[in-house]
Amino acid sequence: HAYRFAADEPTCQPYNIGSNDAIPVTRIAAIVADVLGVKPTLHFAGGPGGAGWKGDVKHMSLATGRLEGLGWKAQHTSEAAVTLAARAAKAIFDA
């Protein structure tokens, strides 16, 4: 519901909606696997610095300062947000 914090007639501006912390991509995979009840084997392509490919990241973190400047505050940690999203997606597929 971040749109509630935007100006009445906003110009086109990008906003990151995220948490104020970072989460390793491997932890995201572990959370999703746990929610789905699967045990995948992870394979790493071994790009620069251990990332999978150029531009890939090992930790997910979004700069939310622009949105926070409008008064918005994250309600969940990255781990909690990923867990909630995975559970919601699973519920859709299970329905």
Side-chain angles (χ1 to χ4, degrees):
H1 303 283
Y3 65 88
R4 291 182 283 162
F5 295 97
D8 290 337
E9 295 183 34
T11 58
C12 182
Q13 295 289 326
Y15 293 91
N16 287 323
I17 299 174
S19 300
N20 294 322
D21 61 348
I23 185 170
V25 175
T26 52
R27 181 66 186 133
I28 293 171
I31 292 168
V32 172
D34 184 55
V35 168
L36 296 178
V38 297
K39 294 185 186 280
T41 300
L42 302 179
H43 297 276
F44 299 92
W53 55 87
K54 185 176 182 176
D56 193 13
V57 297
K58 294 192 302 184
H59 294 84
M60 183 63 201
S61 177
L62 297 173
T64 58
R66 181 179 284 164
L67 193 54
E68 289 169 352
L70 298 174
W72 179 85
K73 300 241 184 293
Q75 295 180 358
H76 303 288
T77 64
S78 292
E79 186 156 330
V82 170
T83 302
L84 289 168
R87 287 178 182 163
K90 184 178 185 314
I92 290 169
F93 290 112
D94 288 347

